[in-house]
Amino acid sequence: MEGGEIPEILKIPRPLQDKFFSAAEEEADRLLKRVGEIDKLIKRLSDEVARGISPIRLRSDWRDMTIAVVDGSDTPAIDERIGVRFGLYAAAYKLFKGEDPLENGEGYLGDRLNEQIRVGKETFLKVLDLVTTYLERMLAEHLLKQNTPHVDLLILDGSFLGYRTGCSLVKREQIDLTEPVTGKHFRTIYDLISEINDLTLKIAKSGRAVGVIKRVPTEAIDGYIRYRYGEGEGLNLSDRALLSLVMSQGEVFSYEKYFGSRLRIDALSWYRTVSRDPKVRGKSRDEILKEAERRVKVQLKADLTAPASRKGKGKVSHEGILELADSLSRFFVLTREGLPPICVEVPNSVLVSENLLDNVLSYCLETSSPVTGLPKSLDLVDELVSLPRGLGKDFVTEVEARLLMRGVDSRRLIALFSRFNPQKDEY
């Protein structure tokens, strides 16, 4: 607290203060009991997942590699204050020789979407996300193709298929978008998804690209424990949270080592939800897992492949992207004590080179930020490309100001802006 500022809780009526202080005490008691339960959980987990954890085999080749880091960003909300809809998006890259930035080794792309994309607000936000991903993947694929300098390793911020969620809900919609940076035209949202699929496959097949994922909700360890030992043995925690309890700095967790086979991470992550569905009640654990696998495949196909014809017929396009979804491997790396492990997503094309995988893991460990645990290069590019939250509002204000400067009088502006409450900006 700065300058003797009064806490907000002391500004409310005394009866409410007493109620909230009492509630805080109750919550502290409740959480204290959970801390005791976690101590027992750590022992159980250590025995359970130990076979999946090993020390990173440190390599130093990465210090001589040219490493590219690519990230994208868009405005977190759209501002409809002036009656036209805008969304801003950008992508950037930065090149490093090992840990050192290369001179003139960075680039930026960015532009805007506007009201010409005539879809609902939620769909507009999804299109904005997809256009940002498209620009990011286009930039990444260009870097991998160039010869000067030759990129030895490319790091994507996020999962290769991070754009998948929600695509099935919007892919049929018409957008007639000409993306202003590349000039490429997309008639439907699926056309845009298809282009991202193509670029993602090229990047994954290069043998030189990995993804580093910041937020990982996967619960495959919990699903596997339920599958092996029964529903009552589940832990109800994400893999990242569970591994935070048992991993030490410099260690890596491999799902394949832990499972002992190539089980689907995403299906196991769905295991708990599927097992509670009345439709599978009474079925064996193997049958439940097969049903989870079936649902994952159905959802992937719905999100990433072309819409079927209105009669329900139509060929499946982009089988390659479904194969990629099946083949991606994930590793958790604890780079800093006191921070959760980070997740590295690796295509088969990288796994064939054990030395390259070891260098990727060594790079993540030895260049990690003490604040986030991520490679410092990723934090740097994220900082460079992140669009400030208020930028959308500033952009709209600038458009309005330029209209006024060009002689549009206030009455006409009011007519133009009258569809929306000018005092209410949406974020």
Side-chain angles (χ1 to χ4, degrees):
M1 195 165 24
E2 297 179 3
E5 183 181 340
I6 299 173
E8 294 297 326
I9 197 168
L10 298 181
K11 298 178 183 178
I12 62 177
R14 182 59 183 268
L16 287 177
Q17 289 182 37
D18 293 342
K19 175 60 181 174
F20 289 137
F21 279 126
S22 174
E25 183 68 18
E26 291 171 6
E27 282 299 305
D29 289 341
R30 183 182 67 84
L31 291 172
L32 199 58
K33 291 177 183 177
R34 291 199 65 188
V35 169
E37 293 169 0
I38 285 174
D39 290 338
K40 297 176 184 176
L41 179 61
I42 289 173
K43 175 64 172 70
R44 180 185 168 193
L45 267 178
S46 297
D47 296 338
E48 172 66 30
V49 304
R51 65 180 177 274
I53 298 174
S54 59
I56 293 173
R57 292 182 296 237
L58 291 175
R59 298 284 188 268
S60 59
D61 298 352
W62 64 266
R63 297 182 183 278
D64 297 316
M65 290 181 178
T66 298
I67 300 170
V69 179
V70 180
D71 194 8
S73 175
D74 53 63
T75 47
I78 53 177
D79 189 331
E80 299 182 358
R81 181 168 62 90
I82 66 170
V84 286
R85 184 180 285 155
F86 293 109
L88 307 180
Y89 59 96
Y93 72 87
K94 196 166 182 66
L95 298 174
F96 301 81
K97 176 64 77 171
E99 202 168 358
D100 300 322
L102 288 179
E103 187 176 355
N104 300 320
E106 63 185 43
Y108 304 87
L109 295 172
D111 217 297
R112 84 287 187 195
L113 294 181
N114 58 31
E115 85 286 355
Q116 292 174 348
I117 308 300
R118 298 185 183 280
V119 292
K121 179 181 175 181
E122 294 305 316
T123 302
F124 186 89
L125 288 172
K126 182 60 184 176
V127 174
L128 183 59
D129 175 64
L130 288 169
V131 172
T132 305
T133 302
Y134 164 65
L135 207 61
E136 175 190 321
R137 299 298 159 90
M138 188 269 299
L139 204 53
E141 198 254 347
H142 172 75
L143 289 168
L144 288 168
K145 285 196 305 185
Q146 73 179 17
N147 294 318
T148 310
H150 174 80
V151 171
D152 301 300
L153 174 65
L154 184 136
I155 299 176
L156 289 175
D157 183 1
S159 169
F160 281 83
L161 300 177
Y163 58 94
R164 176 194 66 79
T165 304
C167 285
S168 60
L169 302 175
V170 300
K171 67 183 183 181
R172 288 183 179 273
E173 296 212 35
Q174 303 280 326
I175 50 173
D176 284 322
L177 164 69
T178 299
E179 198 285 309
V181 175
T182 61
K184 194 167 185 69
H185 184 76
F186 302 103
R187 185 178 57 85
T188 66
I189 294 178
Y190 180 72
D191 290 340
L192 178 56
I193 295 167
S194 177
E195 186 68 19
I196 298 171
N197 286 348
D198 286 339
L199 290 168
T200 299
L201 281 170
K202 290 175 184 176
I203 294 165
K205 289 177 179 178
S206 70
R208 293 178 282 147
V210 299
V212 175
I213 311 172
K214 296 174 184 173
R215 292 169 289 277
V216 194
T218 311
E219 296 182 4
I221 295 174
D222 178 80
Y224 185 64
I225 290 172
R226 292 171 189 272
Y227 166 64
R228 284 194 67 192
Y229 306 117
E231 182 65 23
E233 298 300 312
L235 303 173
N236 299 324
L237 288 172
S238 71
D239 297 347
R240 189 171 182 235
L242 291 173
L243 292 171
S244 296
L245 297 173
V246 296
M247 290 181 70
S248 299
Q249 185 173 351
E251 290 184 334
V252 57
F253 171 83
S254 164
Y255 282 107
E256 288 184 34
K257 284 184 180 178
Y258 171 55
F259 296 150
S261 61
R262 186 143 190 156
L263 294 172
R264 289 190 69 117
I265 297 169
D266 44 12
L268 285 165
S269 193
W270 282 27
Y271 186 89
R272 177 174 53 151
T273 301
V274 174
S275 68
R276 296 177 179 181
D277 188 332
K279 295 178 183 177
V280 301
R281 189 171 294 148
K283 292 192 175 182
S284 70
R285 296 173 199 168
D286 283 335
E287 288 174 316
I288 293 171
L289 183 58
K290 284 182 181 177
E291 175 61 14
E293 290 173 346
R294 185 193 70 80
R295 294 186 188 187
V296 165
K297 290 176 181 177
V298 167
Q299 189 60 59
L300 284 167
K301 181 178 175 183
D303 282 329
L304 296 176
T305 66
S309 70
R310 293 297 180 184
K311 295 180 180 179
K313 298 179 180 179
K315 65 177 183 178
V316 175
S317 62
H318 277 296
E319 291 182 355
I321 204 73
L322 300 181
E323 292 169 3
L324 175 63
D326 289 346
S327 65
L328 289 168
S329 295
R330 286 185 176 181
F331 301 86
F332 280 91
V333 184
L334 193 71
T335 60
R336 294 276 175 168
E337 293 288 357
L339 292 175
I342 67 170
C343 183
V344 182
E345 190 173 67
V346 182
N348 272 345
S349 59
V350 172
L351 284 181
V352 297
S353 172
E354 193 175 78
N355 186 59
L356 179 55
L357 177 60
D358 288 343
N359 270 288
V360 169
L361 300 178
S362 298
Y363 173 80
C364 290
L365 174 65
E366 297 190 60
T367 69
S368 63
S369 161
V371 178
T372 65
L374 296 164
K376 292 175 184 174
S377 57
L378 202 60
D379 281 342
L380 178 59
V381 176
D382 180 70
E383 193 174 301
L384 289 173
V385 76
S386 291
L387 300 179
R389 185 173 179 81
L391 184 61
K393 179 180 178 181
D394 290 347
F395 181 79
V396 170
T397 300
E398 183 67 19
V399 172
E400 182 179 348
R402 288 172 184 257
L403 287 170
L404 288 169
M405 289 171 62
R406 295 185 184 191
V408 178
D409 65 46
S410 58
R411 287 184 304 171
R412 285 171 175 77
L413 282 179
I414 290 170
L416 178 62
F417 306 157
S418 63
R419 281 175 44 205
F420 300 93
N421 178 359
Q423 303 305 316
K424 184 177 180 182
D425 297 324
E426 298 186 32
Y427 291 96

